[in-house]
């Protein structure tokens, strides 16, 4: 896809406390300050660093059925036209918060097109993606977002194409060999390897 998309945050009653209250000996009073300090220490978030996203290397991402709808806007007439868009990324490499790979996308009845992907992800999970093709570059924005217990790329983008603008956002999800989506992608109805065979742009390759 020449885009990304747009791509998306306790107190328990203590059983031990109950047992102490029901015992013969009274529990020693607890300083409110000690409770606050202990609570703050327990809920402090871990320090984020770029290594947390190193698992992105050699992963595949696609648009699930619920997020296929996109729009085309014609500035001349003001028309907004619904369209479907399937995009697949193969993130082939990752280093120090930067990643790269290959992208293939298909808008509506148009033929599949491809672009090289270079992106960055902050330690907190914010994404910036650049899709590069012979017709130019498109930038997309997003965020690594937990959805139903799994990481998604919540991406969004708008790009100009032939005098019109194409907009799309999606919770892009991971796919792997053996999964139903790997064998048949929503909308295009072909396997991930077959769809990615349409890739014809230069392959991003680290130097040094």
């Amino acid at each position: 896809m020449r885009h990304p998309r747009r791509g998306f945050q306790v107190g328990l009653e203590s059983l031990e406390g109950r047992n102490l209250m029901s015992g013969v000996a009274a529990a020693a009073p607890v300083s409110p300050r000690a409770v606050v300090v202990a609570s703050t220490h327990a809920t402090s978030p871990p320090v984020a660093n770029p290594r947390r996203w190193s698992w992105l290397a050699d992963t595949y991402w696609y648009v699930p059925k619920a997020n296929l709808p996109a729009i085309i806007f014609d500035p001349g007439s003001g028309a907004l036209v619904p369209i479907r868009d399937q995009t697949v990324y193969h993130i082939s490499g990752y280093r120090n918060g930067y990643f790269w790979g290959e992208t293939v996308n298909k808008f509506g009845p148009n033929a599949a097109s491809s672009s090289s992907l270079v992106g960055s992800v902050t330690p907190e999970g914010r994404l910036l993606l650049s899709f590069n093709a012979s017709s130019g570059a498109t930038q997309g924005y997003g965020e690594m977002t937990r959805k139903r217990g799994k990481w998604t790329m919540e991406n969004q983008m708008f790009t100009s194409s032939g005098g019109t603008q194409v907009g799309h956002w999606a919770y892009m999800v991971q796919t792997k060999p053996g999964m139903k989506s790997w064998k048949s992608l929503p909308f295009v109805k072909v396997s991930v390897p077959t769809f990615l065979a349409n890739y014809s742009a230069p392959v991003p390759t680290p130097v040094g």
Side-chain angles (χ1 to χ4, degrees), residues 115-128:
S115 56
S116 56
L117 167 65
V118 179
S120 62
V121 56
T122 68
E124 296 76 19
R126 290 186 291 273
L127 295 159
L128 175 63

Side-chain angles (χ1 to χ4, degrees), residues 115-167:
S115 56
S116 56
L117 167 65
V118 179
S120 62
V121 56
T122 68
E124 296 76 19
R126 290 186 291 273
L127 295 159
L128 175 63
L129 305 102
S130 179
F131 301 89
N132 302 275
S134 58
S135 58
T138 297
Q139 283 192 338
Y141 305 87
E143 186 171 358
M144 298 299 297
T145 304
R146 297 286 289 184
K147 190 172 177 63
R148 297 180 181 175
K150 297 181 180 180
W151 283 112
T152 70
M153 286 188 173
E154 186 182 11
N155 294 332
Q156 59 182 331
M157 71 89 193
F158 257 92
T159 184
S160 296
S161 177
T164 61
Q165 295 181 349
V166 179

